Structures are given as C-alpha cells and as structure tokens.
Amino acid sequence: MRSVVNSPFSTGHGSAAQRIESELRRLIIALELPPGSRLSEQDIAERHGVSRQPVREALIGLARTRLVEIQPQRGTTVVKISVRKMMESRFVREAIETAVVRRACSSFDTQSRERIDDLLELQDQAASRDDHAAFQRYDELFHIALAEGAGCPLAWEAVQDIKAHMDRVCQLTLPGPEAMLPLIDQHRAIMAAIDARDEDAAAEAMRRHLTEILRALPRVESEHPELFSA
C-alpha cells in the first residue's frame, strides 16, 4: 500500500501562530476542549514555549472561523455548537463538493484514484478497530484526494475553512463501527459514480453523504444539550 497520509494540505512547520492555531483547532473539534472552555493566553504560551503574541494571533484566527469568542476584559471561550452555523456550513460544503464530483466525472487523476482506494481500505481498518480519530483523518484525506483528483484543490481549502462546525457534531455521531461503515459505503458510491462518469449520480451520492449528519443531529442535540447554543 502506498503512503497516503502525506498531502500538500498537511500541516507543515509553519509559524508558531499557525502551529498553535492548528493544535487548538484539533482539540476543539475533538471536543478535548469542549464548548464553554476558557482559554488562557499565558497558559497556552507556556505550554508551547512561546511568547503571548503568537498565541494571540492563533486565537484571532480561531475567532475568525467562529470556534472561539474573544471578549475584552473577559478572555477567550470556546463557543458552543451552533446548529444554525452547522447547517450553513453543510449547505456551502454541499454546493462546493457536488461541483467537485461533477468535474471529477469529466477528468480524474489516476494517482489520486489509486490513493482513494488505499484510503477506503484504511477507513475500513480504522472502523474495525473503532479508531474514531484515524477514521476522521482518512475521511478528510478522501475529500482532499477528490478535490486534487478533479484538479481543483482550492475547493478543499474553501471547505476546510467552514467544516469545523460540522466536524464537532461528527465527533458525537460516530460512536462505533456501526456508524462508520455506512459512511465508507457512501464514499464507495461516490467513486462508483465518478468511475462511471455519471455526473448526476455522483452529485446525488455526495449530497446523500453530506446529509447523513442531519439524520443524527436531533439525537445528538438531545443527548448533549450542554454542548449546543440555545
């Protein structure tokens, strides 16, 4: 199997602010920093061995994507999950990714197609061992490979900026293999339509895939009301 974890989109060394923003974003999405958590610039700076300036820049970046709220004199807080923002994010993501798969039906890079086969196998393995974090990482790499293969990597960059609001809900909707395996089947349906060069089927398969979160939303919201905004 070829290595599939290295991608042009992978986080590199970058600046201290970028590294801190990336790490805090990961912790927020994984709910290791749950909604309502207070973030201290000083504590974060000490943990990363940097001054407070790059931490401040990282928090501003997170505020821009509305994952944290910065209030003068009151500090920074991880925002609660907003169903409205999640629905808006899903709407925009669907518009972009259905366009991506339509384009993929016209022309798709061979290496990207081979990488996707490997990713689907890795997703199967992650689901079988109930490795939620690995499953989500391979899920993201699948969508990256779609954009790359279709020749429009900038589409993923646009999606990446908004998908965090969906990702936190996804963290609550994949409790075990029985929830993960249908998503792999949906990925395979998307690729089968692309292989058949059927634009309408590919777009519908992607739409169905991105709608999965809506079916689980009422249950998740009722089970975890403390994580959601009113």
Side-chain angles (χ1 to χ4, degrees), residues 30-192:
L31 301 178
E32 293 179 41
L33 284 174
S37 299
R38 299 290 295 272
L39 302 180
S40 163
E41 284 186 10
Q42 186 61 39
D43 288 348
I44 296 170
E46 290 176 359
R47 190 178 316 125
H48 288 270
V50 297
S51 69
R52 293 177 66 168
Q53 181 58 34
V55 176
R56 192 169 297 118
E57 292 175 17
L59 294 176
I60 290 171
L62 292 171
R64 195 176 298 121
T65 55
R66 300 179 183 178
L67 287 175
V68 304
E69 183 179 16
I70 302 173
Q71 296 181 315
Q73 312 306 320
R74 297 184 61 185
T76 301
T77 305
V78 177
V79 300
K80 291 197 171 187
I81 298 170
S82 165
V83 172
R84 180 180 62 81
K85 286 189 180 70
M86 194 221 75
M87 297 286 281
E88 289 178 0
S89 298
R90 196 210 65 81
F91 175 80
V92 174
R93 183 176 180 180
E94 179 182 301
I96 293 172
E97 293 215 77
T98 52
V100 167
V101 295
R102 284 185 178 278
R103 179 167 173 169
C105 289
S106 300
S107 176
F108 200 75
D109 176 69
T110 302
Q111 287 187 336
S112 294
R113 183 64 185 88
E114 292 173 351
R115 186 160 67 252
I116 283 174
D117 282 337
D118 289 342
L119 286 167
L120 293 176
E121 182 180 337
L122 288 167
Q123 271 201 300
D124 260 329
Q125 294 171 10
S128 67
R129 64 179 183 268
D130 198 13
D131 187 340
H132 184 273
F135 182 90
Q136 281 204 300
R137 177 58 178 155
Y138 296 135
D139 181 272
E140 181 170 303
L141 287 171
F142 169 84
H143 288 273
I144 290 172
L146 271 181
E148 289 177 334
C152 46
L154 286 177
W156 178 255
E157 293 188 19
V159 167
Q160 195 170 37
D161 284 343
I162 62 170
K163 67 188 280 291
H165 298 288
M166 292 178 65
D167 288 343
R168 289 201 291 174
V169 177
C170 287
Q171 193 73 23
L172 300 167
T173 62
L174 297 175
E178 68 281 357
M180 300 182 205
L181 292 173
L183 300 181
I184 302 173
D185 291 338
Q186 291 166 17
H187 284 172
R188 291 195 170 105
I190 292 167
M191 295 315 302

Side-chain angles (χ1 to χ4, degrees), residues 4-21:
V4 296
V5 294
N6 293 321
S7 162
F9 295 92
S10 300
T11 302
H13 292 291
S15 69
Q18 290 170 330
R19 292 197 303 273
I20 294 167
E21 181 179 347

Side-chain angles (χ1 to χ4, degrees), residues 193-217:
I194 290 173
D195 290 341
R197 297 184 180 274
D198 187 334
E199 290 189 18
D200 290 339
E204 179 55 32
M206 177 60 78
R207 190 173 295 112
R208 188 162 54 250
H209 177 56
L210 296 178
T211 303
E212 187 75 24
I213 194 171
L214 300 182
R215 288 188 276 274
L217 184 58

Side-chain angles (χ1 to χ4, degrees), residues 16-34:
Q18 290 170 330
R19 292 197 303 273
I20 294 167
E21 181 179 347
S22 178
E23 175 63 9
L24 291 175
R25 179 187 175 95
R26 183 190 68 78
L27 293 172
I28 291 169
I29 289 173
L31 301 178
E32 293 179 41
L33 284 174

